[in-house]
Amino acid sequence: MQFILGIISILYAEVIRDIYHIAGHYWQPIKQFHLLHHKAYRRDFSIANMETYQKSQLYNDVPEALCMVGLTAAIAILTHNPGLWMGCIYSVVFLIPAVLRSQGMLLATDLSHKPGDLDGIPALWRVNRTYHWRHHFDETNAYFAGHFTSVDRIIGTSLSIKGKVVAVTGASGALGQGLVAELSRQGAKVIAITTNSAAVFRAGTTILNWELGAESELLAHLQGVDILIVNHGVNVYGDRSPTAVYQSYETNTFSTLRLTELFLSTVTRSHERATKELWINTSEAEVNPAFSPLYELSKRTLGDLVTLRRLDAPCIIRKLVLGPFKSQLNPYGVMSASWVARAIIWLAKRDFRDIIVTINPLTYLLFPLKELCQSLYFRAFTKSPKVAIELPQHSDRAERVAPK
């Protein structure tokens, strides 16, 4: 029991740190000192000015650690539980190096600000350098977490949409329109990618027309995109003709894979590991019947290949696992497309990498289990590529099929 209380006290210390950090952005008495912390680093996390750095440690990091020590000690004293002192000891571990760094010593202990290129994608549960880089240089009023990402996930600051360039394929469909509207409301700069030349979008939306099979022509546009949402698809229902097979796989699987590799090829600079993301609508059909066999087969193939690609992806890849919503592809859907769009953004801002929105409770149980087992299987029986992955481009213009 005392060990459990100790773990709780450590989590309590981290919550104190995160609250102090948030206060440093909004509460004037300490805001000026927290600004020193932001001024102390260049974009590669090297120290911009040693004097500013030492002051930031003395007036920001040391008070923050003292707050952690004092409040965890107060709880331990008031409750007379010895296990709660673990949180206080944990906080002291941060206090002592902060004091020494303020004197120009033990600079190597500043692990979350270690200089150099970013060497991974933002971590999910623990704050790594890439995750924290976003707080300094992407959006300072988000990504507040110090060690565990829990507080950001709870308050919705694990992803900042404001000011991001977000491209949406299948933008003229019901969900596409919903995503365009919600992203615009969140302050994103939206690019609507559609095969429907007659589609109309709200003012301020950039419209980009394309043809299925001509994904490579989008490369120049994708260079400046922060988040690509691959949302186009087709549903042939009960048709099982060779043409239907081709249309289903070409639209739902291969076109998405080509766009995936095109977008991932644009992640060439260190900071793009932190700022770029790829969201792919794989559908609930990955684990549940959709009463449309070719839709299920093509979406399951896509889902499996996305799971495999995630193992080596240079940026975050999110899956959109969506239940039946009313759209051109599914006039019998029970959910509102605009509501589904809002739910997707709400969950993304809380850093869900598998965004499940459905009325079927089984999906919330089956999909994470399937994804975990399949990821472990792929990791065990495949190996990382030594060269950049390339997919062949479709040589001919594919027939336009039910643009979403």
Side-chain angles (χ1 to χ4, degrees):
M1 178 58 70
Q2 293 303 319
F3 176 76
I4 292 172
L5 288 174
I7 298 299
I8 292 173
S9 69
I10 289 174
L11 296 176
Y12 172 59
E14 283 297 332
V15 170
I16 293 169
R17 174 156 66 165
D18 292 345
I19 291 174
Y20 188 96
H21 185 183
I22 294 170
H25 284 260
Y26 296 101
W27 190 34
Q28 198 58 43
I30 61 174
K31 185 175 181 179
Q32 58 182 320
F33 300 122
H34 188 70
L35 287 175
L36 288 173
H37 176 75
H38 281 268
K39 292 178 180 178
Y41 302 99
R42 300 186 184 94
R43 286 181 65 86
D44 63 351
F45 274 145
S46 60
I47 296 173
N49 181 279
M50 182 56 70
E51 182 181 358
T52 301
Y53 175 82
Q54 290 180 239
K55 285 183 178 179
S56 74
Q57 293 294 313
L58 182 61
Y59 298 121
N60 180 76
D61 290 46
V62 170
E64 182 180 78
L66 282 171
C67 190
M68 293 167 64
V69 171
L71 291 177
T72 51
I75 292 294
I77 293 169
L78 290 172
T79 60
H80 302 288
N81 279 305
L84 293 177
W85 283 102
M86 191 181 295
C88 184
I89 296 170
Y90 175 83
S91 302
V92 169
V93 171
F94 289 96
L95 174 60
I96 294 173
V99 172
L100 293 174
R101 288 196 299 266
S102 72
Q103 304 305 309
M105 297 181 286
L106 288 184
L107 301 187
T109 61
D110 194 2
L111 298 178
S112 58
H113 302 94
K114 183 179 178 182
D117 289 340
L118 303 177
D119 53 7
I121 67 174
L124 183 59
W125 296 105
R126 180 184 57 83
V127 175
N128 60 0
R129 289 174 61 246
T130 310
Y131 186 101
H132 191 61
W133 185 95
R134 296 185 296 179
H135 174 71
H136 278 262
F137 306 110
D138 180 33
E139 174 53 64
T140 57
N141 289 323
Y143 318 109
F144 295 110
H147 189 73
F148 302 111
T149 61
S150 306
V151 169
D152 278 330
R153 292 170 70 91
I154 290 169
I155 65 177
T157 52
S158 292
L159 173 65
S160 175
I161 298 292
K162 185 177 180 181
K164 294 289 177 65
V165 178
V166 185
V168 183
T169 71
S172 63
L175 180 59
Q177 292 277 8
L179 286 168
V180 168
E182 181 62 19
L183 289 164
S184 298
R185 192 182 70 81
Q186 297 270 350
K189 302 172 183 176
V190 184
I191 300 175
I193 303 177
T194 178
T195 59
N196 184 357
S197 58
V200 178
F201 298 91
R202 60 169 51 205
T205 302
T206 301
I207 303 172
L208 187 60
N209 291 108
W210 72 300
E211 291 184 1
L212 197 70
E215 290 80 13
S216 60
E217 295 177 6
L218 297 174
L219 179 59
H221 300 281
L222 296 179
Q223 297 284 354
V225 169
D226 296 306
I227 300 173
L228 173 63
I229 304 177
V230 184
N231 172 61
H232 64 282
V234 66
N235 191 341
V236 297
Y237 297 102
D239 190 353
R240 62 186 184 204
S241 65
T243 299
V245 173
Y246 171 80
Q247 289 180 347
S248 295
Y249 275 92
E250 176 61 20
T251 307
N252 295 340
T253 308
F254 301 125
S255 173
T256 297
L257 291 177
R258 290 193 291 269
L259 281 171
T260 293
E261 294 307 325
L262 276 175
F263 182 74
L264 295 181
S265 73
T266 68
V267 185
T268 57
R269 293 175 292 180
S270 171
H271 74 271
E272 289 172 336
R273 290 179 173 270
T275 57
K276 289 209 172 216
E277 294 195 6
L278 177 63
W279 304 4
I280 301 177
N281 184 354
T282 64
S283 171
E284 187 181 39
E286 277 202 70
V287 290
N288 286 320
F291 304 105
S292 177
L294 283 174
Y295 184 79
E296 294 168 21
L297 289 168
S298 57
K299 284 291 189 177
R300 286 173 187 170
T301 301
L302 172 64
D304 292 348
L305 292 172
V306 171
T307 300
L308 181 68
R309 189 64 179 96
R310 273 174 158 177
L311 300 180
D312 304 297
C315 67
I316 290 174
I317 298 180
R318 303 185 195 274
K319 281 189 176 185
L320 310 184
V321 183
L322 311 179
F325 58 88
K326 192 175 289 295
S327 68
Q328 295 95 321
L329 296 187
N330 186 5
Y332 309 107
V334 295
M335 296 186 294
S336 160
S338 59
W339 183 86
V340 171
R342 289 194 298 272
I344 289 171
I345 303 303
W346 192 91
L347 291 168
K349 291 175 69 175
R350 285 154 180 83
D351 207 14
F352 283 78
R353 306 289 168 95
D354 296 316
I355 297 176
I356 304 174
V357 184
T358 182
I359 59 170
N360 187 348
L362 286 176
T363 304
Y364 294 96
L365 298 174
L366 296 176
F367 183 84
L369 181 62
K370 171 259 180 189
E371 193 69 9
L372 173 63
C373 293
Q374 198 161 52
S375 180
L376 292 174
Y377 174 71
F378 288 158
R379 195 178 294 275
F381 293 99
T382 61
K383 56 185 178 180
S384 299
K386 295 181 180 180
V387 296
I389 300 173
E390 293 184 3
L391 284 184
Q393 291 300 310
H394 197 277
S395 57
D396 300 313
R397 293 292 184 269
E399 178 186 357
R400 288 192 182 186
V401 288
K404 194 175 175 186

